[in-house]
Amino acid sequence: MLKRQSNIELLRIVSMLMILALHVNFFALGTPSTWEINVSPFGAIGRTFMEFLCIVAVNVFVLISGWFGINAKIKSFLKFLFQILFFYVGIYIVFLVFGWRDLSWDGIKECFFLKASGWFIKAYIGLYILSPILNAFVKQSSERQLRLFLIAFYVFQTIYGWYFVDSTKFFAQGYSTLSFIGLYMLARYIKKYALEKKYFALKKECDVLIFLGIVVLETILFVVARANNLIDLFKVLWIYSSPLVILSALHLLLYFSKLNFSSNFVNVVAASSFSVYLFHSDPNIMAYYLKYARSIYNTYSSFSCFFMMILVVLVFYIVATILDRLRIWSWDIFWKKCGNGIENWFSKL
């Protein structure tokens, strides 16, 4: 088993906190309107800045997978599915028991992400299934072949998955396995070749400045576009296939990759980071999460609202991390009793 690198594990935690923050901002409250920008510019700019500061989170999470490479095995894949179903099915059962929801076909479909919710899970499963092919290509290709592939991919995605954002569905604004493949391969290339050749040999402080510079630029462009009703411009700025979002996510990853420290606490907390996503993104829990965010926004003002939002984010993170200990315990029991039989069955396929 590979030793966890605390610098990248800390980035997992940060990216998950960013995802939680995203969902109490534009997702819960909507984008700042033209009226809001004119009447309360500081609040609107602050919300916009926080959105672009955090919007890199999903891309970062996928880049981390590419940084280490997905080692696709039956046990690890089943463990991944068990983790997903533990939260989605488990939460639905709890809601049924307490009478907070009725048993329905829609509810069952949500448990197995057969509805619009859970897009990240479906996209990442697709990436996981394809990862052996992607890893084989990285292993067998030359630096030039991989570099040309990435150039072609990102030119193609930038034109047809970003510029013509409404006319193409297969990139789905970055919410797709196809976009995840590009991120995965980008991180594999940088880890294997680019750092060696010093393409990104910047000081870590430079990576932070580039990251923050892009966030500031996105904030200015978005506020100006929103204030002037330039719908096409503000719409394409905050999607995952935006070149600016991808570049800022990359420099955030590069910054953390250059940190050097070791922390068992960070490693343990980071091991439950994906469970935090699963817990809060479950359709049943998400409804309450968004409700709390809107209630806080409508009740508190300025800094009080900001700190209350932070409190909600931290509480959900802590609760999910605690629940994940039960998931880990359940998986260990399940695999101890059934693991050999399952692996033997798959070996015969």
Side-chain angles (χ1 to χ4, degrees), residues 80-130:
F80 178 63
L81 292 180
F82 182 91
Q83 184 178 14
I84 296 167
L85 296 176
F86 176 87
F87 282 94
Y88 270 51
V89 175
I91 290 171
Y92 186 58
I93 290 173
V94 169
F95 271 66
L96 291 177
V97 169
F98 283 92
W100 298 332
R101 280 199 69 171
D102 297 324
L103 182 64
S104 67
W105 180 235
D106 276 348
I108 294 171
K109 287 196 293 185
E110 285 175 350
C111 289
F112 298 95
F113 24 98
L114 296 173
K115 299 189 72 177
S117 59
W119 73 267
F120 178 87
I121 296 168
K122 290 174 279 193
Y124 195 86
I125 287 175
L127 177 65
Y128 196 107
I129 292 170
L130 293 170

Side-chain angles (χ1 to χ4, degrees), residues 70-87 112-113 121 124-125 128-129 131 274-275 278 324 327-328 330-347 349:
I70 296 173
N71 185 18
K73 294 182 179 179
I74 295 300
K75 180 181 178 181
S76 57
F77 184 61
L78 292 178
K79 185 178 182 180
F80 178 63
L81 292 180
F82 182 91
Q83 184 178 14
I84 296 167
L85 296 176
F86 176 87
F87 282 94
F112 298 95
F113 24 98
I121 296 168
Y124 195 86
I125 287 175
Y128 196 107
I129 292 170
S131 63
F274 186 59
S275 290
L278 293 172
D324 194 50
R327 188 270 306 178
I328 294 170
S330 302
W331 167 258
D332 289 341
I333 293 175
F334 170 77
W335 192 254
K336 185 176 180 179
K337 291 186 176 181
C338 306
N340 288 335
I342 292 172
E343 288 187 324
N344 288 336
W345 185 83
F346 274 101
S347 68
L349 290 178

Side-chain angles (χ1 to χ4, degrees), residues 222-237:
F222 186 91
V223 170
V224 170
R226 196 69 168 113
N228 293 279
N229 287 316
L230 302 174
I231 297 174
D232 289 339
L233 177 56
F234 83 72
K235 187 167 55 177
V236 299
L237 283 169

Side-chain angles (χ1 to χ4, degrees), residues 1 9 24 49 75-76 111 117 138 142 178 210 223 232 277 283 292 313 339:
M1 184 176 180
E9 297 308 308
V24 296
F49 179 82
K75 180 181 178 181
S76 57
C111 289
S117 59
V138 171
S142 66
L178 188 55
I210 292 171
V223 170
D232 289 339
Y277 170 80
Y292 293 147
V313 166

Side-chain angles (χ1 to χ4, degrees), residues 95-347:
F95 271 66
L96 291 177
V97 169
F98 283 92
W100 298 332
R101 280 199 69 171
D102 297 324
L103 182 64
S104 67
W105 180 235
D106 276 348
I108 294 171
K109 287 196 293 185
E110 285 175 350
C111 289
F112 298 95
F113 24 98
L114 296 173
K115 299 189 72 177
S117 59
W119 73 267
F120 178 87
I121 296 168
K122 290 174 279 193
Y124 195 86
I125 287 175
L127 177 65
Y128 196 107
I129 292 170
L130 293 170
S131 63
I133 299 172
L134 301 177
N135 292 339
F137 175 69
V138 171
K139 184 178 180 180
Q140 296 175 13
S141 64
S142 66
E143 185 272 338
R144 181 175 182 274
Q145 287 174 320
L146 191 52
R147 175 162 40 89
L148 289 176
F149 163 80
L150 286 169
I151 291 171
F153 178 90
Y154 277 106
V155 168
F156 183 60
Q157 177 177 262
T158 299
I159 295 173
Y160 295 106
W162 179 64
Y163 185 77
F164 293 109
V165 63
D166 289 329
S167 61
T168 54
K169 303 299 181 184
F170 48 90
F171 280 109
Q173 300 182 0
Y175 295 70
S176 66
T177 297
L178 188 55
S179 288
F180 281 11
I181 289 171
L183 292 168
Y184 183 86
M185 297 296 277
L186 177 61
R188 296 300 296 147
Y189 173 77
I190 289 172
K191 181 77 178 292
K192 186 174 181 180
Y193 294 114
L195 293 182
E196 243 180 54
K197 292 181 176 292
K198 305 197 181 298
Y199 293 160
F200 292 91
L202 300 172
K203 291 183 177 180
K204 59 180 181 291
E205 292 81 8
C206 293
D207 289 311
V208 170
L209 289 175
I210 292 171
F211 168 68
L212 291 176
I214 294 172
V215 171
V216 170
L217 174 62
E218 290 171 318
T219 301
I220 294 170
L221 290 174
F222 186 91
V223 170
V224 170
R226 196 69 168 113
N228 293 279
N229 287 316
L230 302 174
I231 297 174
D232 289 339
L233 177 56
F234 83 72
K235 187 167 55 177
V236 299
L237 283 169
W238 59 299
I239 60 176
Y240 296 142
S241 56
S242 163
L244 290 175
V245 173
I246 293 168
L247 187 61
S248 56
L250 177 60
H251 279 283
L252 189 62
L253 171 64
L254 289 170
Y255 168 75
F256 276 87
S257 73
K258 295 167 187 174
L259 299 179
N260 185 21
F261 71 96
S262 180
S263 169
N264 188 56
F265 175 77
V266 167
N267 295 346
V268 170
V269 174
S272 296
S273 57
F274 186 59
S275 290
V276 175
Y277 170 80
L278 293 172
F279 174 68
H280 102 283
S281 70
D282 173 85
N284 302 289
I285 299 295
M286 179 61 82
Y288 286 92
Y289 190 72
L290 299 180
K291 179 182 176 181
Y292 293 147
R294 292 170 186 139
S295 176
I296 290 170
Y297 186 73
N298 293 325
T299 305
Y300 297 90
S301 59
S302 62
F303 290 106
S304 297
C305 176
F306 178 73
F307 286 117
M308 286 300 295
M309 289 292 193
I310 291 176
L311 182 61
V312 168
V313 166
L314 291 176
V315 167
F316 270 78
Y317 198 107
I318 292 168
V319 170
T321 302
I322 293 171
L323 288 175
D324 194 50
R325 307 315 298 173
L326 179 59
R327 188 270 306 178
I328 294 170
W329 175 77
S330 302
W331 167 258
D332 289 341
I333 293 175
F334 170 77
W335 192 254
K336 185 176 180 179
K337 291 186 176 181
C338 306
N340 288 335
I342 292 172
E343 288 187 324
N344 288 336
W345 185 83
F346 274 101
S347 68

